[in-house]
Amino acid sequence: MTKTERSEPKKKLILLVILLLLAGAVLAGAPMVGMKAISLNSILHPVSGGVDAKIFWMIRVPRVCVSFLAGAALAVSGMAFQAMFRNPLATPFTLGVASGASLGAAIYIRVGLLFNFLGISGISISAFAGATLSILLVYGLSKVRKGFSTSTMLLAGVAISFFFSSVILFTQYMSNFTNSFRILHWLMGGLEVVGFESVLNMAPFVTSGSAIIFYMTHELNLMVTGEEIATSRGVNVEKTKKILFFATSLMVGGVVAICGPIGFVGMMAPHICRLLIGADHRYLTPVTLLFGGVFLTLCDMLARTLIAPAEMPVGIITALLGGPFFVWLLVGKTSSKRGII
Amino acid sequence: MKKEVIEIEKFSFSINDKKILKNISLTVMKGEYISIVGPNGAGKTTLLKCLDRIYKGGVGSIKISGKPIEKYRQRELAQHVSYVPQADGNIPPFTVREFVMMGRYPYLNPFSSVNFSSNKKDEKTVQDALSMTETLKFSERFLSELSGGERQKVFIAAALVQEAEILLLDEPATFLDPKHEAGIYRLLARANREKGVTIISVTHDINSAVMTSRRILALKDGVSAFCGPAGDFMNNEILLKIYEKPFIFMKHPQTEKTIVAPEAP
């Protein structure tokens, strides 16, 4: 037994613990930061604390929760897609899942129905349905012929994505002024939420989806080695894909319904984490989840403070920070060894 | 008592309406070493993939250890059949040890998904396979850092830890230099002799097929064109029929076995 062999898993666990502490710190610290300084005293008295307590508990805390959940869910979904398709460009966005979810949500807004199911809001369910529909379309296309390559599947996803986007625009165009504005505002993507309703709406989708993915880490590892090897090792590839599609639809649907389409986190976060800790999904999944959450929370913190009192869309920050960092990691040493999937 | 590990009966298989395999029958006994040869596009790889249910369906029947292949759950099948694919430039982003450890997947219990440490039996099986394939010395390196020959040994190690009685290999040594090629064949012979692993290996190389295996199945256009002892395969008529090309026969100076050389163009 060599030394590296023993120390390698230990190093990974240490990184995981560091990230866990960081996530705790960010979750606790991010609500403190904002345009208005908030005294510790008013936080401790949520009811009698006046405006400060209201801002803290009803605006900042929910917003931080939503951004953490959204970042985590998008990052983990991206990770699952990249592993499943063995392609660095496979994400909920390139495969049309996010636009499917967006379409579901847009139709819900357009029709103006208001319904709840078991306490889950209709817009989340519509977005989930849209995400599932787009996955079924892309997956169905791949089943038409044997030997459909991943690139073809990605192209199909992009095509479906464009198609859905135009249907969304059409829906918006055909809506009255109020609904049209609501759709537009929501399409721009954002994390401005008030109160805990959004958090409670999103949490079940995100937790159940990521719980499924946590359970599938061995299968994800084998999917990365290729479908043939995975099959020969005993993975039921078709079943695994269906379960993963379901889990990612849940997460992407849940997030998109509340925040609109926020790109880039799902593509970039898994790559960064893979370069940090390797492709073993037993470690990669928790790391990606925490990293995605921390990353989007920090980006949103910047988005709402940098040009205060105005806010920028969080997408600008994610791309601005993430892009160069990603390139830096790509040209670094580790990438050649571990490969980008 | 020898038992049948594979029974293929009148098996046909199509991909996108094109018939790849036609009416193949073959019975393989435990501990046999069979080579499948034949020209490009004869259906050799397809047959291997059908035996590991990478390709599903087909007409006719395939039984593995007496049980119809479609009755197996994939995980259970993996305890009977392992597979080393043709090297196609696909290099998984794992270290040698991580990759070989994944071969233990069929034995994982469903709740070990959250478990970071593997059990003693897994550790030992992996350690044994690494030392048998002489890959222990670079077990902590990434697969992408190895040469083609080293990587092929790792792929074989990963298949061996599945502890399946049948090992399928697709062109295990085709792109390797003579030294590594010999290394791979020595390794396979050892696994066959010492562990009693039944080996079915697809190859283009007639000479290595005849030298390594006792029985040969030759496919041509999806049909079984020859199936019998390796010695009988070295027959001008048979080879001409299969490869549509004459060969020159000679005796290997060391083994006295018949080998072939292609005619000068």
Side-chain angles (χ1 to χ4, degrees):
Chain A
M1 299 261 164
T2 57
K3 225 164 80 190
T4 45
E5 173 194 325
R6 285 279 167 235
S7 63
E8 187 75 354
K10 213 174 182 180
K11 252 194 273 173
K12 290 180 178 179
L13 279 179
I14 291 171
L15 185 65
L16 193 55
V17 170
I18 291 173
L19 211 53
L20 204 61
L21 294 174
L22 185 66
V26 166
L27 277 176
M32 305 295 293
V33 183
M35 199 174 67
K36 191 173 184 313
I38 286 171
S39 69
L40 209 59
N41 190 37
S42 53
I43 298 168
L44 296 174
H45 301 94
V47 184
S48 61
V51 183
D52 275 11
K54 271 233 158 55
I55 292 178
F56 185 84
W57 287 109
M58 294 314 285
I59 296 179
R60 290 198 190 158
V61 170
R63 182 166 178 161
V64 164
C65 291
V66 162
S67 53
F68 192 89
L69 284 173
L74 292 174
V76 169
S77 312
M79 179 201 77
F81 274 125
Q82 286 165 4
M84 195 167 22
F85 295 106
R86 299 205 302 144
N87 190 305
L89 295 175
T91 65
F93 288 83
T94 39
L95 279 159
V97 185
S99 58
S102 305
L103 179 62
I107 289 176
Y108 176 84
I109 297 174
R110 165 72 182 84
V111 174
L113 283 171
L114 285 175
F115 71 89
N116 281 290
F117 183 72
L118 299 174
I120 298 163
S121 82
I123 191 165
S124 300
I125 293 169
S126 306
F128 167 64
T132 313
L133 174 74
S134 65
I135 276 188
L136 285 177
L137 270 174
V138 176
Y139 185 66
L141 276 173
S142 76
K143 291 267 103 181
V144 176
R145 285 172 60 90
K146 275 183 198 164
F148 216 68
S149 74
T150 306
S151 340
T152 323
M153 194 132 167
L154 283 171
L155 280 176
V158 171
I160 284 176
S161 193
F162 275 116
F163 178 75
F164 280 179
S165 299
S166 64
V167 179
I168 294 171
L169 285 180
F170 179 74
T171 313
Q172 191 208 345
Y173 191 73
M174 298 303 284
S175 302
N176 63 33
F177 185 76
T178 322
N179 281 342
S180 172
F181 181 76
R182 281 179 67 200
I183 294 175
L184 183 70
H185 183 76
W186 172 85
L187 272 180
M188 280 159 53
L191 300 158
E192 305 91 351
V193 295
V194 177
F196 278 91
E197 198 195 332
S198 305
V199 182
L200 291 176
N201 251 317
M202 213 158 114
F205 286 89
V206 175
T207 44
S208 54
S210 40
I212 294 172
I213 294 201
F214 266 98
Y215 188 70
M216 306 286 284
T217 51
H218 287 288
E219 285 79 2
L220 282 168
N221 278 347
L222 281 160
M223 294 294 279
V224 168
T225 67
E227 288 187 16
E228 288 189 358
I229 296 181
T231 307
S232 70
R233 299 282 185 271
V235 176
N236 186 336
V237 169
E238 291 305 311
K239 192 174 132 199
T240 303
K241 274 187 179 172
K242 281 177 197 152
I243 296 173
L244 290 173
F245 279 149
F246 176 73
T248 45
S249 300
L250 272 179
M251 288 194 282
V252 174
V255 169
V256 166
I258 307 292
C259 309
I262 301 174
F264 217 60
V265 183
M267 163 119 56
M268 194 184 58
H271 283 302
I272 292 173
C273 295
R274 213 173 279 118
L275 292 171
L276 285 175
I277 205 166
D280 186 342
H281 285 77
R282 289 174 303 167
Y283 299 94
L284 183 60
T285 311
V287 164
T288 306
L289 183 128
L290 292 172
F291 184 91
V294 167
F295 182 73
L296 194 61
T297 309
L298 288 180
C299 285
D300 182 54
M301 198 176 86
L302 289 176
R304 62 193 162 85
T305 50
L306 271 188
I307 52 163
E311 277 191 14
M312 346 179 191
V314 68
I316 295 180
I317 306 279
T318 54
L320 220 55
L321 278 181
F325 182 49
F326 190 31
V327 171
W328 177 72
L329 280 170
L330 277 178
V331 295
K333 267 201 308 236
T334 42
S335 59
S336 57
K337 229 171 30 175
R338 286 170 173 171
I340 303 298
I341 276 269
Chain B
M1 242 318 256
K2 289 274 176 187
K3 65 166 187 161
E4 297 89 359
V5 283
I6 302 177
E7 294 156 85
I8 308 172
E9 236 177 282
K10 296 186 178 138
F11 184 76
S12 302
F13 188 81
S14 312
I15 296 177
N16 293 332
D17 297 328
K18 188 171 180 286
K19 266 207 162 182
I20 308 289
L21 295 173
K22 296 166 198 161
N23 217 17
I24 304 281
S25 293
L26 174 75
T27 302
V28 182
M29 310 299 283
K30 185 164 170 47
E32 268 200 276
Y33 191 141
I34 295 182
S35 287
I36 303 179
V37 298
N40 289 328
K44 308 185 291 289
T45 299
T46 305
L47 180 57
L48 274 200
K49 289 184 179 175
C50 287
L51 288 176
D52 203 10
R53 228 170 53 184
I54 290 168
Y55 289 160
K56 290 188 183 98
V59 184
S61 88
I62 297 178
K63 281 185 188 166
I64 304 289
S65 296
K67 182 168 152 185
I69 194 164
E70 64 275 8
K71 292 269 165 64
Y72 281 92
R73 285 168 58 229
Q74 195 66 38
R75 199 183 249 264
E76 194 192 341
L77 186 65
Q79 300 177 3
H80 292 273
V81 185
S82 59
Y83 170 69
V84 177
Q86 191 170 356
D88 60 353
N90 159 29
I91 304 169
F94 296 106
T95 66
V96 170
R97 186 177 293 274
E98 283 171 346
F99 181 68
V100 174
M101 184 57 93
M102 288 181 206
R104 295 299 292 170
Y105 177 79
Y107 302 95
L108 279 181
N109 79 61
F111 297 103
S112 58
S113 295
V114 281
N115 187 0
F116 283 87
S117 61
S118 31
N119 69 35
K120 283 271 174 317
K121 166 95 165 83
D122 292 337
E123 298 273 7
K124 187 178 182 309
T125 316
V126 168
Q127 199 70 14
D128 288 350
L130 289 174
S131 62
M132 181 174 178
T133 52
E134 294 160 352
T135 51
L136 195 55
K137 54 186 172 293
F138 41 77
S139 65
E140 309 309 322
R141 301 240 299 266
F142 280 90
L143 288 175
S144 54
E145 297 173 297
L146 307 181
S147 75
E150 292 167 335
R151 201 149 51 224
Q152 190 66 351
K153 283 184 180 170
V154 174
F155 272 74
I156 292 175
L160 286 176
V161 298
Q162 273 178 249
E163 296 185 315
E165 64 256 33
I166 303 162
L167 173 59
L168 311 171
L169 302 109
D170 196 353
E171 305 278 9
T174 305
F175 304 105
L176 303 182
D177 60 54
K179 181 186 148 208
H180 279 104
E181 182 185 3
I184 295 288
Y185 283 127
R186 242 192 341 264
L187 170 61
L188 293 179
R190 245 188 95 192
N192 178 244
R193 204 175 49 237
E194 289 173 17
K195 300 192 164 216
V197 178
T198 310
I199 291 179
I200 301 183
S201 164
V202 159
T203 177
H204 272 295
D205 187 340
I206 303 171
N207 287 327
S208 71
V210 171
M211 278 195 280
T212 53
S213 52
R214 287 181 284 275
R215 196 145 73 104
I216 292 208
L217 169 70
L219 296 179
K220 182 175 166 62
D221 300 328
V223 180
S224 163
F226 172 89
C227 185
D232 296 357
F233 185 60
M234 290 308 209
N235 171 307
N236 204 8
E237 221 170 285
I238 294 169
L239 289 187
L240 193 63
K241 193 179 83 183
I242 292 166
Y243 288 97
E244 296 167 3
K245 182 182 185 316
F247 287 91
I248 298 164
F249 292 83
M250 55 188 103
K251 285 254 183 274
H252 192 288
Q254 287 176 311
T255 61
E256 295 288 306
K257 277 188 178 170
T258 311
I259 54 173
V260 293
E263 264 189 356

